[in-house]
Amino acid sequence: MSYLTKKDQKGKTRQIGKRGFRKGSYFTHLLKSAPEGKSVVDSRHELIAGYAMDLDPRIKTLQVQPFTLDVTTGEMLHTKDQLDRYREKLKTRGRQASLYTPDFALTMQDQTVRIIEIKDAAWIDFSDSYAGKIEAATELLKVKGIHFEILAGSYEDTLPCVQNLKLLHSINHQMNAKEVPASLLDLTEKLQAVRVFAAQMHESAEMLSVSEIADGNRLTVTQVCMAIVMGIFDAPIWREVINKKTLLSGAADDSMNCIRYEHFDLRRRT
């Protein structure tokens, strides 16, 4: 699901990066972000949610600020050039647009699309005007067969999920580097045995610490974290900071539940 083409010289409808550091933009690299991976988000909440999405195996690709929607007409604008021309057209007609730009568009492995809005959990009481805009956007996207949801989370450097997602996101980048790290090559050689080990843990509902799993499989702590990213082990990333004593469970063979972006929403965590 990629909206930009080589002809779209002005880029996306929302030019967050061009507003500079005055607004506190965050530049990051999300491996699943189309088309080039480089992304700019405008809050720390979007940043950490983006990390969760990048690690969620159910997501095939994602886009940041994918389009702008006029909630009064249903017009969907994918580029800054389209938006400029649309505004000029409305201006000549003496009209104004009511525009809404979502934070993320996710294309799932089953090719369905989800539109995501990220909010600070401390700010979920929307104003009447904004609530109306969100409600209108939800209905318009529903007509187009597109799922829309709002996730309300928190960002504090001390939160377990923030520390864990930063760690796993960094490890994920190491695993996908052009030059494959020696630790990943070593893990790959042991992968079949590690999967069997995890399957046995899952079957017996046994939980072992990171250090116990590392010692039992001749792995490093970093390699165990790589296995978490790969979905081999399930870690309580939303509840406690991963360390050598953290208890992990073995994931089922068909598991895609280890890291789910929805758990960024404080209202959904268990």
Side-chain angles (χ1 to χ4, degrees), residues 169-238:
H169 184 257
S170 175
I171 287 175
N172 193 32
H173 272 267
Q174 295 175 36
M175 294 169 65
N176 287 275
K178 290 183 179 179
E179 185 175 340
V180 181
S183 55
L184 179 58
L185 291 173
D186 180 63
L187 175 60
T188 301
E189 293 178 357
K190 302 172 181 176
L191 202 55
Q192 183 175 354
V194 174
R195 288 189 183 279
V196 171
F197 184 88
Q200 291 173 343
M201 286 178 60
H202 177 76
E203 184 67 24
S204 63
E206 181 181 20
M207 298 187 72
L208 297 174
S209 68
V210 169
S211 60
E212 288 173 326
I213 292 173
D215 293 343
N217 293 273
R218 293 179 292 115
L219 302 175
T220 65
V221 170
T222 297
Q223 287 174 319
V224 174
C225 288
M226 287 180 173
I228 293 173
V229 171
M230 297 168 71
I232 297 173
F233 297 105
D234 195 358
I237 65 172
W238 304 98

Side-chain angles (χ1 to χ4, degrees), residues 127-141:
S127 65
D128 290 341
S129 60
Y130 185 76
K133 184 179 289 189
I134 290 294
E135 184 177 351
T138 302
E139 291 303 314
L140 286 168
L141 291 170

